[in-house]
Amino acid sequence: MSQGADILLGLQWGDEGKGKIVDVLTKNYDVVARFQGGPNAGHTLEFNNIKHVLHTIPSGIFHENAVNVIGNGVVIDPIIFCGEIDKLLKLEPHCIDRLKISRKAHLILPTHKLLDAASEASKGKNKIGSTLKGIGPTYMDKTGRNGLRIGDIELLDFIDRYNVLKKKHLDLLKGYEFPFDLQIAEKDWMVAIARIKRMNLSDTDILIQKAFHSGKKILAEGAQGTLLDVDFGTYPYVTSSTTTAAGACTGLGLAPNRINEVIGIFKAYITRVGSGPFPTELNDDLGQNLRDKGNEYGSTTGRPRRTGWLDIPALKYAVEINGVTQLMMMKADVLSGLKELKVCTEYRYLGATINHLPFSLNEKLLQPVYVEMESWEEDLTGITSASDLPKALQDYTDFIEEKIGVPVVLISVGPDREQTLWRG
Ligand code: GDP
Ligand code: IMO
Ligand code: MG
């Protein structure tokens, strides 16, 4: 591994298994840095029969060798963040010493959450299906130049600044018929703010640059997935940040020429939580079967995830947007024992056959074209070497590699750290 940074990100609509893989890879890195998103993320790690779900904290936190950075591109809900810290402290009393929080990261206010909920309620059937964590309104205030940042907590007039922004939000809320009670949330928020003030607030952009110049290895951890990117995702059914490789640059202060590998994670099928187009969705027993076998329920909201066949044009699009150099295929075990196995290789779009993602994924205009693949029966969860995987799965993987033109270097066969097979 050469000096500089690698990026690890999701290539679908999130929940690809980023948390698990960051945890697996952290032993090779000195710095693990989250670059965007906030508590809308739920990154799951499993080892020693314990399952951990992280929302704001980078997934390298369980390893003593790495500094964990919450970058400037992240938005932080102080209450959720302190709740995460409390859970972690029970298991890893010193984890907080290796956690650095960017002074430039933006704060999610209680009123941002109210605005998120009010906006969603007003949209009716056109709602985004937001996690209601206040993500959209917080990024709106960031780009609107109204936001409050972690570093503002250290200023003497922080409360005045808070009150100015809160008033702006309360005025906006008058435009919605949305009942709320702010008192308890606001009190808890202030308590959490006072705690955060005593933590390692840091100029993490400088930290990242120093790490680079001293030859340290940096892993940038993405949240959400490429198809939820605010520019390149299925807009408007997206999140409000740059989930793609470019987001690692703006979300950490990492120059593009300092990036080496871009590791793209995808499920062997595909899922989505929330609203929006989904060409290969399975609204039948097969879809339910994938949901049950893959335990496809949101790590953050508990909502059932929509499920479908692997969509190769969408995957190829995500690989191109991010410049992916290595692929990792997750949840291959979930496909064992299926009666049928299909992959979408192209679309029918306005009477033509295309193999790229067009502007509109409206189902009236676009239909997936599938090829049937050979399925396999074997339970994969106890397999310890990629060469022991069933032939049909090897063929499935080779097929994807050939279509995308990037090597699949790892196949995951279960949620545990150990259920991770490197391909030779
Ligand atoms: P993330 O948001 O990308 O970190 O992914 P999530 O944690 O939200 O969702 C992935 C889910 O799949 C979690 O429950 C993981 O524990 C689980 N998981 C990860 N890899 C595998 C795998 O290879 N097989 C199975 N069965 N589950 C996996
Ligand atoms: P991780 O990091 C899956 C989805 C929501 C909704 C849309 C907008 O765990 O992969 P937001 O709250 O961001 O305004 O919601 O994005 N979404 C996710 N789906 N995994 C996530 O994160 C997600 N974060 C947001 O369901 O459709
Ligand atoms: Mg998740």
Side-chain angles (χ1 to χ4, degrees), residues 15-19 42-44 299 305 330-331 333 412-415:
D15 302 329
E16 296 90 349
K18 299 174 291 292
H43 293 182
T44 316
S299 313
R305 295 179 185 143
M330 311 300 291
K331 302 191 99 161
D333 54 299
S412 175
V413 293

Side-chain angles (χ1 to χ4, degrees), residues 111 263 406:
T111 39
I263 305 165
V406 174

Side-chain angles (χ1 to χ4, degrees), residues 71-76 78 101-109 112 138 141-143 145-155 157-159 161-162 165 189 193 196-197 201-203 205:
N72 57 279
V74 176
V75 291
I76 299 176
I101 310 158
S102 171
R103 289 197 170 88
K104 292 182 179 141
H106 278 246
L107 283 165
I108 302 176
L109 271 58
H112 280 132
T138 306
D141 271 339
K142 175 178 176 172
T143 49
R145 295 153 300 171
N146 297 313
L148 279 183
R149 298 184 292 175
I150 286 283
D152 293 332
I153 302 174
E154 296 172 312
L155 304 178
D157 63 350
F158 175 69
I159 295 296
R161 289 168 187 244
Y162 169 83
L165 189 53
W189 195 86
I193 287 285
I196 292 175
K197 195 172 173 182
L201 309 190
S202 183
D203 298 329
D205 37 0

Side-chain angles (χ1 to χ4, degrees), residues 197-216:
K197 195 172 173 182
R198 299 192 299 272
M199 294 182 192
N200 289 323
L201 309 190
S202 183
D203 298 329
T204 57
D205 37 0
I206 311 283
L207 182 154
I208 295 277
Q209 286 145 20
K210 281 192 177 150
F212 173 79
H213 287 297
S214 57
K216 299 258 167 67

